[in-house]
mmCIF file of all heavy atoms in Angstrom:
data_model
loop_
_atom_site.group_PDB
_atom_site.id
_atom_site.type_symbol
_atom_site.label_atom_id
_atom_site.label_comp_id
_atom_site.label_asym_id
_atom_site.label_seq_id
_atom_site.Cartn_x
_atom_site.Cartn_y
_atom_site.Cartn_z
ATOM 1 N N ALA A 1 -1.028 -9.754 -47.506
ATOM 2 C CA ALA A 1 -0.644 -9.323 -46.160
ATOM 3 C C ALA A 1 0.133 -10.396 -45.414
ATOM 4 O O ALA A 1 -0.233 -11.580 -45.438
ATOM 5 C CB ALA A 1 -1.888 -8.942 -45.349
ATOM 6 N N VAL A 2 1.201 -9.969 -44.751
ATOM 7 C CA VAL A 2 1.921 -10.802 -43.791
ATOM 8 C C VAL A 2 1.523 -10.309 -42.407
ATOM 9 O O VAL A 2 1.729 -9.136 -42.075
ATOM 10 C CB VAL A 2 3.444 -10.703 -43.982
ATOM 11 C CG1 VAL A 2 4.173 -11.498 -42.905
ATOM 12 C CG2 VAL A 2 3.838 -11.189 -45.369
ATOM 13 N N VAL A 3 0.946 -11.195 -41.608
ATOM 14 C CA VAL A 3 0.319 -10.808 -40.340
ATOM 15 C C VAL A 3 1.172 -11.239 -39.155
ATOM 16 O O VAL A 3 1.544 -12.406 -39.031
ATOM 17 C CB VAL A 3 -1.086 -11.439 -40.231
ATOM 18 C CG1 VAL A 3 -1.728 -11.091 -38.890
ATOM 19 C CG2 VAL A 3 -1.967 -10.970 -41.385
ATOM 20 N N GLY A 4 1.469 -10.289 -38.283
ATOM 21 C CA GLY A 4 2.157 -10.572 -37.028
ATOM 22 C C GLY A 4 1.147 -10.854 -35.936
ATOM 23 O O GLY A 4 0.177 -10.105 -35.768
ATOM 24 N N THR A 5 1.355 -11.932 -35.179
ATOM 25 C CA THR A 5 0.315 -12.399 -34.258
ATOM 26 C C THR A 5 0.616 -12.205 -32.778
ATOM 27 O O THR A 5 -0.265 -12.380 -31.941
ATOM 28 C CB THR A 5 0.047 -13.897 -34.483
ATOM 29 O OG1 THR A 5 1.251 -14.635 -34.195
ATOM 30 C CG2 THR A 5 -0.381 -14.163 -35.919
ATOM 31 N N ASN A 6 1.873 -11.868 -32.447
ATOM 32 C CA ASN A 6 2.202 -11.795 -31.018
ATOM 33 C C ASN A 6 3.521 -11.040 -30.857
ATOM 34 O O ASN A 6 4.181 -10.678 -31.835
ATOM 35 C CB ASN A 6 2.314 -13.201 -30.424
ATOM 36 C CG ASN A 6 2.016 -13.237 -28.939
ATOM 37 O OD1 ASN A 6 1.995 -12.190 -28.266
ATOM 38 N ND2 ASN A 6 1.775 -14.412 -28.400
ATOM 39 N N VAL A 7 3.904 -10.809 -29.596
ATOM 40 C CA VAL A 7 5.161 -10.145 -29.270
ATOM 41 C C VAL A 7 5.849 -10.933 -28.167
ATOM 42 O O VAL A 7 5.214 -11.293 -27.169
ATOM 43 C CB VAL A 7 4.940 -8.694 -28.783
ATOM 44 C CG1 VAL A 7 6.285 -8.008 -28.521
ATOM 45 C CG2 VAL A 7 4.102 -7.903 -29.773
ATOM 46 N N ASP A 8 7.130 -11.201 -28.349
ATOM 47 C CA ASP A 8 7.940 -11.816 -27.298
ATOM 48 C C ASP A 8 8.969 -10.801 -26.818
ATOM 49 O O ASP A 8 9.647 -10.163 -27.638
ATOM 50 C CB ASP A 8 8.670 -13.056 -27.820
ATOM 51 C CG ASP A 8 7.755 -14.270 -27.932
ATOM 52 O OD1 ASP A 8 6.670 -14.233 -27.319
ATOM 53 O OD2 ASP A 8 8.120 -15.230 -28.624
ATOM 54 N N SER A 9 9.091 -10.669 -25.497
ATOM 55 C CA SER A 9 10.081 -9.722 -24.973
ATOM 56 C C SER A 9 10.736 -10.245 -23.699
ATOM 57 O O SER A 9 11.015 -9.494 -22.780
ATOM 58 C CB SER A 9 9.439 -8.362 -24.704
ATOM 59 O OG SER A 9 8.462 -8.456 -23.683
ATOM 60 N N SER A 10 10.986 -11.542 -23.657
ATOM 61 C CA SER A 10 11.643 -12.113 -22.489
ATOM 62 C C SER A 10 13.134 -11.778 -22.520
ATOM 63 O O SER A 10 13.802 -11.987 -23.548
ATOM 64 C CB SER A 10 11.459 -13.631 -22.470
ATOM 65 O OG SER A 10 12.297 -14.214 -21.496
ATOM 66 N N PRO A 11 13.701 -11.282 -21.424
ATOM 67 C CA PRO A 11 15.127 -10.934 -21.402
ATOM 68 C C PRO A 11 16.040 -12.144 -21.541
ATOM 69 O O PRO A 11 17.219 -11.994 -21.840
ATOM 70 C CB PRO A 11 15.304 -10.249 -20.051
ATOM 71 C CG PRO A 11 14.194 -10.779 -19.201
ATOM 72 C CD PRO A 11 13.038 -10.973 -20.141
ATOM 73 N N ILE A 12 15.511 -13.346 -21.342
ATOM 74 C CA ILE A 12 16.345 -14.546 -21.439
ATOM 75 C C ILE A 12 16.132 -15.270 -22.773
ATOM 76 O O ILE A 12 16.661 -16.356 -22.978
ATOM 77 C CB ILE A 12 16.073 -15.513 -20.266
ATOM 78 C CG1 ILE A 12 14.611 -15.964 -20.253
ATOM 79 C CG2 ILE A 12 16.459 -14.867 -18.940
ATOM 80 C CD1 ILE A 12 14.320 -17.040 -19.220
ATOM 81 N N ASP A 13 15.357 -14.651 -23.670
ATOM 82 C CA ASP A 13 15.089 -15.229 -24.985
ATOM 83 C C ASP A 13 15.800 -14.384 -26.038
ATOM 84 O O ASP A 13 15.441 -13.226 -26.261
ATOM 85 C CB ASP A 13 13.578 -15.253 -25.247
ATOM 86 C CG ASP A 13 13.221 -15.867 -26.591
ATOM 87 O OD1 ASP A 13 14.147 -16.303 -27.308
ATOM 88 O OD2 ASP A 13 12.023 -15.899 -26.920
ATOM 89 N N ASN A 14 16.806 -14.944 -26.684
ATOM 90 C CA ASN A 14 17.567 -14.185 -27.678
ATOM 91 C C ASN A 14 16.699 -13.646 -28.805
ATOM 92 O O ASN A 14 16.991 -12.598 -29.381
ATOM 93 C CB ASN A 14 18.686 -15.058 -28.256
ATOM 94 C CG ASN A 14 19.810 -15.305 -27.275
ATOM 95 O OD1 ASN A 14 20.023 -14.512 -26.354
ATOM 96 N ND2 ASN A 14 20.542 -16.400 -27.460
ATOM 97 N N ASP A 15 15.619 -14.365 -29.130
ATOM 98 C CA ASP A 15 14.745 -13.915 -30.208
ATOM 99 C C ASP A 15 14.081 -12.580 -29.884
ATOM 100 O O ASP A 15 13.692 -11.840 -30.788
ATOM 101 C CB ASP A 15 13.675 -14.965 -30.493
ATOM 102 C CG ASP A 15 14.261 -16.244 -31.074
ATOM 103 O OD1 ASP A 15 15.297 -16.149 -31.758
ATOM 104 O OD2 ASP A 15 13.704 -17.328 -30.821
ATOM 105 N N SER A 16 13.947 -12.271 -28.612
ATOM 106 C CA SER A 16 13.302 -11.025 -28.212
ATOM 107 C C SER A 16 14.154 -9.801 -28.529
ATOM 108 O O SER A 16 13.665 -8.671 -28.482
ATOM 109 C CB SER A 16 12.994 -11.038 -26.709
ATOM 110 O OG SER A 16 12.118 -12.098 -26.382
ATOM 111 N N TYR A 17 15.416 -10.020 -28.842
ATOM 112 C CA TYR A 17 16.320 -8.905 -29.109
ATOM 113 C C TYR A 17 16.367 -8.538 -30.586
ATOM 114 O O TYR A 17 16.914 -7.488 -30.937
ATOM 115 C CB TYR A 17 17.724 -9.245 -28.607
ATOM 116 C CG TYR A 17 17.799 -9.299 -27.093
ATOM 117 C CD1 TYR A 17 17.406 -10.442 -26.398
ATOM 118 C CD2 TYR A 17 18.220 -8.198 -26.360
ATOM 119 C CE1 TYR A 17 17.445 -10.492 -25.015
ATOM 120 C CE2 TYR A 17 18.273 -8.235 -24.971
ATOM 121 C CZ TYR A 17 17.880 -9.386 -24.308
ATOM 122 O OH TYR A 17 17.916 -9.430 -22.932
ATOM 123 N N CYS A 18 15.814 -9.383 -31.449
ATOM 124 C CA CYS A 18 15.805 -9.074 -32.873
ATOM 125 C C CYS A 18 14.925 -7.849 -33.118
ATOM 126 O O CYS A 18 13.761 -7.816 -32.711
ATOM 127 C CB CYS A 18 15.272 -10.264 -33.685
ATOM 128 S SG CYS A 18 15.491 -10.069 -35.466
ATOM 129 N N GLY A 19 15.489 -6.846 -33.755
ATOM 130 C CA GLY A 19 14.743 -5.624 -34.013
ATOM 131 C C GLY A 19 14.781 -4.623 -32.881
ATOM 132 O O GLY A 19 14.252 -3.520 -33.028
ATOM 133 N N GLY A 20 15.370 -4.996 -31.753
ATOM 134 C CA GLY A 20 15.469 -4.059 -30.633
ATOM 135 C C GLY A 20 14.643 -4.504 -29.445
ATOM 136 O O GLY A 20 13.405 -4.486 -29.496
ATOM 137 N N TYR A 21 15.309 -4.914 -28.385
ATOM 138 C CA TYR A 21 14.611 -5.452 -27.218
ATOM 139 C C TYR A 21 13.680 -4.418 -26.577
ATOM 140 O O TYR A 21 12.540 -4.722 -26.226
ATOM 141 C CB TYR A 21 15.626 -5.950 -26.183
ATOM 142 C CG TYR A 21 14.989 -6.446 -24.903
ATOM 143 C CD1 TYR A 21 14.272 -7.636 -24.885
ATOM 144 C CD2 TYR A 21 15.078 -5.702 -23.725
ATOM 145 C CE1 TYR A 21 13.658 -8.087 -23.730
ATOM 146 C CE2 TYR A 21 14.465 -6.152 -22.557
ATOM 147 C CZ TYR A 21 13.763 -7.340 -22.562
ATOM 148 O OH TYR A 21 13.160 -7.782 -21.411
ATOM 149 N N THR A 22 14.151 -3.183 -26.429
ATOM 150 C CA THR A 22 13.335 -2.147 -25.789
ATOM 151 C C THR A 22 12.045 -1.910 -26.545
ATOM 152 O O THR A 22 10.966 -1.754 -25.945
ATOM 153 C CB THR A 22 14.128 -0.837 -25.674
ATOM 154 O OG1 THR A 22 15.318 -1.070 -24.922
ATOM 155 C CG2 THR A 22 13.304 0.235 -24.976
ATOM 156 N N LEU A 23 12.134 -1.873 -27.872
ATOM 157 C CA LEU A 23 10.927 -1.679 -28.676
ATOM 158 C C LEU A 23 9.960 -2.837 -28.492
ATOM 159 O O LEU A 23 8.737 -2.638 -28.421
ATOM 160 C CB LEU A 23 11.306 -1.540 -30.154
ATOM 161 C CG LEU A 23 12.057 -0.264 -30.538
ATOM 162 C CD1 LEU A 23 12.467 -0.323 -32.005
ATOM 163 C CD2 LEU A 23 11.210 0.962 -30.276
ATOM 164 N N ASN A 24 10.474 -4.048 -28.418
ATOM 165 C CA ASN A 24 9.596 -5.202 -28.223
ATOM 166 C C ASN A 24 8.932 -5.189 -26.859
ATOM 167 O O ASN A 24 7.777 -5.601 -26.719
ATOM 168 C CB ASN A 24 10.383 -6.491 -28.437
ATOM 169 C CG ASN A 24 10.776 -6.696 -29.892
ATOM 170 O OD1 ASN A 24 10.048 -6.299 -30.801
ATOM 171 N ND2 ASN A 24 11.928 -7.302 -30.124
ATOM 172 N N VAL A 25 9.647 -4.707 -25.839
ATOM 173 C CA VAL A 25 9.034 -4.567 -24.514
ATOM 174 C C VAL A 25 7.859 -3.594 -24.584
ATOM 175 O O VAL A 25 6.776 -3.849 -24.041
ATOM 176 C CB VAL A 25 10.072 -4.087 -23.479
ATOM 177 C CG1 VAL A 25 9.386 -3.701 -22.170
ATOM 178 C CG2 VAL A 25 11.110 -5.176 -23.228
ATOM 179 N N GLY A 26 8.061 -2.460 -25.270
ATOM 180 C CA GLY A 26 6.977 -1.492 -25.408
ATOM 181 C C GLY A 26 5.791 -2.051 -26.155
ATOM 182 O O GLY A 26 4.630 -1.827 -25.774
ATOM 183 N N LEU A 27 6.065 -2.814 -27.211
ATOM 184 C CA LEU A 27 4.979 -3.391 -27.997
ATOM 185 C C LEU A 27 4.230 -4.468 -27.224
ATOM 186 O O LEU A 27 3.017 -4.631 -27.397
ATOM 187 C CB LEU A 27 5.528 -3.959 -29.307
ATOM 188 C CG LEU A 27 5.966 -2.914 -30.332
ATOM 189 C CD1 LEU A 27 6.799 -3.551 -31.439
ATOM 190 C CD2 LEU A 27 4.754 -2.206 -30.929
ATOM 191 N N GLU A 28 4.926 -5.195 -26.367
ATOM 192 C CA GLU A 28 4.220 -6.181 -25.549
ATOM 193 C C GLU A 28 3.317 -5.492 -24.540
ATOM 194 O O GLU A 28 2.230 -5.985 -24.220
ATOM 195 C CB GLU A 28 5.211 -7.105 -24.840
ATOM 196 C CG GLU A 28 4.516 -8.244 -24.104
ATOM 197 C CD GLU A 28 5.437 -9.395 -23.791
ATOM 198 O OE1 GLU A 28 6.634 -9.167 -23.563
ATOM 199 O OE2 GLU A 28 4.938 -10.548 -23.755
ATOM 200 N N THR A 29 3.736 -4.327 -24.075
ATOM 201 C CA THR A 29 2.894 -3.560 -23.149
ATOM 202 C C THR A 29 1.619 -3.091 -23.831
ATOM 203 O O THR A 29 0.517 -3.214 -23.275
ATOM 204 C CB THR A 29 3.674 -2.353 -22.607
ATOM 205 O OG1 THR A 29 4.836 -2.811 -21.924
ATOM 206 C CG2 THR A 29 2.811 -1.526 -21.656
ATOM 207 N N THR A 30 1.743 -2.561 -25.041
ATOM 208 C CA THR A 30 0.559 -2.053 -25.735
ATOM 209 C C THR A 30 -0.396 -3.165 -26.156
ATOM 210 O O THR A 30 -1.575 -2.900 -26.425
ATOM 211 C CB THR A 30 0.954 -1.230 -26.982
ATOM 212 O OG1 THR A 30 1.767 -2.033 -27.852
ATOM 213 C CG2 THR A 30 1.733 0.017 -26.583
ATOM 214 N N GLN A 31 0.081 -4.388 -26.168
ATOM 215 C CA GLN A 31 -0.810 -5.508 -26.470
ATOM 216 C C GLN A 31 -1.967 -5.600 -25.474
ATOM 217 O O GLN A 31 -3.018 -6.154 -25.793
ATOM 218 C CB GLN A 31 -0.036 -6.823 -26.439
ATOM 219 C CG GLN A 31 0.617 -7.192 -27.754
ATOM 220 C CD GLN A 31 1.007 -8.653 -27.775
ATOM 221 O OE1 GLN A 31 1.726 -9.124 -26.902
ATOM 222 N NE2 GLN A 31 0.536 -9.388 -28.761
ATOM 223 N N ASN A 32 -1.778 -5.072 -24.279
ATOM 224 C CA ASN A 32 -2.831 -5.139 -23.258
ATOM 225 C C ASN A 32 -4.095 -4.414 -23.696
ATOM 226 O O ASN A 32 -5.173 -4.655 -23.133
ATOM 227 C CB ASN A 32 -2.326 -4.545 -21.941
ATOM 228 C CG ASN A 32 -1.214 -5.367 -21.318
ATOM 229 O OD1 ASN A 32 -1.246 -6.593 -21.377
ATOM 230 N ND2 ASN A 32 -0.218 -4.706 -20.756
ATOM 231 N N TRP A 33 -3.990 -3.519 -24.668
ATOM 232 C CA TRP A 33 -5.148 -2.765 -25.130
ATOM 233 C C TRP A 33 -5.618 -3.226 -26.503
ATOM 234 O O TRP A 33 -6.425 -2.559 -27.136
ATOM 235 C CB TRP A 33 -4.809 -1.275 -25.153
ATOM 236 C CG TRP A 33 -4.766 -0.670 -23.777
ATOM 237 C CD1 TRP A 33 -5.786 -0.031 -23.117
ATOM 238 C CD2 TRP A 33 -3.651 -0.674 -22.881
ATOM 239 N NE1 TRP A 33 -5.362 0.360 -21.883
ATOM 240 C CE2 TRP A 33 -4.063 -0.007 -21.698
ATOM 241 C CE3 TRP A 33 -2.351 -1.165 -22.944
ATOM 242 C CZ2 TRP A 33 -3.216 0.181 -20.605
ATOM 243 C CZ3 TRP A 33 -1.508 -0.985 -21.861
ATOM 244 C CH2 TRP A 33 -1.940 -0.325 -20.710
ATOM 245 N N LEU A 34 -5.113 -4.361 -26.944
ATOM 246 C CA LEU A 34 -5.467 -4.895 -28.253
ATOM 247 C C LEU A 34 -6.022 -6.310 -28.103
ATOM 248 O O LEU A 34 -5.963 -6.902 -27.027
ATOM 249 C CB LEU A 34 -4.234 -4.917 -29.164
ATOM 250 C CG LEU A 34 -3.580 -3.567 -29.448
ATOM 251 C CD1 LEU A 34 -2.241 -3.765 -30.167
ATOM 252 C CD2 LEU A 34 -4.496 -2.671 -30.277
ATOM 253 N N ASP A 35 -6.517 -6.857 -29.210
ATOM 254 C CA ASP A 35 -6.968 -8.238 -29.206
ATOM 255 C C ASP A 35 -5.810 -9.175 -28.862
ATOM 256 O O ASP A 35 -4.638 -8.813 -28.985
ATOM 257 C CB ASP A 35 -7.505 -8.623 -30.586
ATOM 258 C CG ASP A 35 -8.869 -8.019 -30.862
ATOM 259 O OD1 ASP A 35 -9.514 -7.522 -29.913
ATOM 260 O OD2 ASP A 35 -9.286 -8.031 -32.042
ATOM 261 N N ASP A 36 -6.166 -10.384 -28.480
ATOM 262 C CA ASP A 36 -5.124 -11.372 -28.170
ATOM 263 C C ASP A 36 -4.199 -11.591 -29.354
ATOM 264 O O ASP A 36 -3.005 -11.851 -29.182
ATOM 265 C CB ASP A 36 -5.765 -12.700 -27.751
ATOM 266 C CG ASP A 36 -6.447 -12.622 -26.398
ATOM 267 O OD1 ASP A 36 -6.126 -11.696 -25.632
ATOM 268 O OD2 ASP A 36 -7.296 -13.484 -26.108
ATOM 269 N N CYS A 37 -4.744 -11.518 -30.553
ATOM 270 C CA CYS A 37 -3.931 -11.680 -31.759
ATOM 271 C C CYS A 37 -3.531 -10.290 -32.257
ATOM 272 O O CYS A 37 -4.345 -9.560 -32.844
ATOM 273 C CB CYS A 37 -4.706 -12.423 -32.835
ATOM 274 S SG CYS A 37 -3.729 -12.819 -34.314
#
C-alpha cells in the first residue's frame, strides 16, 4: 500500500493544482470528518 496522509489546497501553492485544484479543495473539506491522517 501507498498511503496518502494529507491534502493541500492553498490557492497560492502550485502543488495544490496537481490533479485538479477544485478536487483537492473538496477533499480537504471532507477531511473534517476523517482522522487527522
Side-chain angles (χ1 to χ4, degrees):
V2 176
V3 178
T5 62
N6 206 345
V7 183
D8 283 343
S9 64
S10 169
I12 60 173
D13 181 2
N14 288 335
D15 293 330
S16 299
Y17 291 82
C18 190
Y21 176 71
T22 302
L23 291 175
N24 291 327
V25 170
L27 288 166
E28 186 161 32
T29 300
T30 56
Q31 273 197 305
N32 294 322
W33 285 266
L34 299 171
D35 285 346
D36 290 341
C37 186

